[in-house]
Amino acid sequence: QGDPLFYIHLNVDHPFRLQGILYFPRMQHEMDVEKNGVRIYCRNVFVSDEAQEILPRYLTMLQGVIDLPDLPLNVSRSYVQTDPEIRKISGHITKKVADRLNEEFKKDRPGFEKIWPEIASFVKFAMLSDEKFYEQARASLLFQIAGKEPAEFVTLEEYQASAKANSKIYYASDLIAQAAPMRMLGSQGIQVLYLPQMIDSHFVHFLETKSQDSQFTRV
């Protein structure tokens, strides 16, 4: 599958103990967000490769290892579901993922834009699943501009800063079928975003509920 897109290092001593490394694998298909590749250890002893109860479902496409020294070796699903420390661990890992996205975006935007098409569906799925993750990672959310070669990306704030765009956010899901209205808008200096993924129709509705200034219009 090639080299990982980037890594997330975990090392916590308080208020809980946690060590590990997670990474974003290269995804061949939008539905790869359903994969589960995180292995759970306790003091270097393998416990489980089912991390759904420790990680939010939207993070199970990540791969790597997590070592929880205080986790019982005979851990049960009911224990994991009810233990407050596990919820804290889950929240910490989620924030580390969001922080890593923002860090990569700020540190090397051109490099981040290159990997964005591979992680876009994951980020959108995570944001739809958890509004807190949306708030934590929204600074790194990108949108591809339709009809640009090589590909160009903007943040929602950058798109809305365009005076010609007004309050509407125009987007296309099919570059061929929607070519005529895209050309018309282009002649007026209005950019059109390209949102072809299955998740995008749900995601644009979600964004509209988050901001009264976001009115998405499919061309």
Side-chain angles (χ1 to χ4, degrees):
Q1 294 185 355
D3 295 332
L5 298 177
F6 55 85
Y7 293 92
I8 301 159
H9 296 273
L10 305 168
N11 190 2
V12 184
D13 291 322
H14 183 79
F16 48 79
R17 293 193 294 167
L18 163 69
Q19 288 185 324
I21 184 168
L22 303 176
Y23 64 88
F24 279 80
R26 294 190 176 276
M27 292 188 290
Q28 304 299 316
H29 190 274
E30 184 176 348
M31 296 307 294
D32 283 355
V33 294
E34 299 290 343
K35 287 184 176 180
N36 179 27
V38 178
R39 296 168 65 87
I40 305 300
Y41 288 79
C42 174
R43 304 179 188 227
N44 297 321
V45 177
F46 175 71
V47 175
S48 174
D49 57 3
E50 298 291 329
Q52 294 97 324
E53 306 301 337
I54 294 176
L55 294 178
R57 179 170 172 261
Y58 57 82
L59 291 185
T60 55
M61 59 75 59
L62 297 176
Q63 297 186 14
V65 296
I66 296 174
D67 193 298
L68 300 170
D70 301 322
L71 188 71
L73 289 176
N74 59 344
V75 62
S76 65
R77 174 168 293 186
S78 60
Y79 169 86
V80 173
Q81 289 175 332
T82 58
D83 185 65
E85 289 298 304
I86 295 297
R87 288 195 292 271
K88 292 178 183 178
I89 291 169
S90 177
H92 174 79
I93 295 174
T94 299
K95 187 175 186 304
K96 287 288 289 186
V97 172
D99 289 346
R100 193 74 174 90
L101 289 169
N102 294 333
E103 178 187 340
E104 286 291 317
F105 173 74
K106 293 176 182 178
K107 181 179 68 176
D108 180 14
R109 177 159 175 173
F112 188 79
E113 290 181 355
K114 288 181 180 179
I115 66 172
W116 176 252
E118 294 192 65
I119 66 173
S121 57
F122 156 77
V123 173
K124 294 171 186 177
F125 178 62
M127 289 180 170
L128 283 170
S129 303
D130 185 351
E131 291 192 13
K132 188 173 182 180
F133 183 83
Y134 164 75
E135 296 295 341
Q136 292 170 337
R138 60 182 296 186
S140 60
L141 180 61
L142 288 177
F143 297 86
Q144 184 175 349
I145 300 174
K148 295 286 188 178
E149 291 292 342
E152 293 184 16
F153 299 86
V154 293
T155 65
L156 204 56
E157 289 75 15
E158 290 168 346
Y159 182 94
Q160 292 176 309
S162 170
K164 294 179 180 179
N166 299 316
S167 62
K168 289 186 177 181
I169 302 166
Y170 293 94
Y171 73 96
S173 56
D174 188 320
L175 298 182
I176 297 176
Q178 296 165 304
M182 285 173 54
R183 283 195 299 269
M184 182 188 69
L185 290 169
S187 67
Q188 301 173 35
I190 298 175
Q191 292 180 328
V192 177
L193 303 180
Y194 183 42
L195 298 173
Q197 297 177 318
M198 292 185 292
I199 198 172
D200 284 326
S201 59
H202 301 287
F203 192 62
V204 296
H205 176 70
F206 168 78
L207 292 177
E208 287 178 326
T209 66
K210 301 300 294 182
S211 173
Q212 295 181 344
D213 297 329
S214 300
Q215 180 185 353
F216 284 81
T217 301
R218 184 171 178 271
V219 302

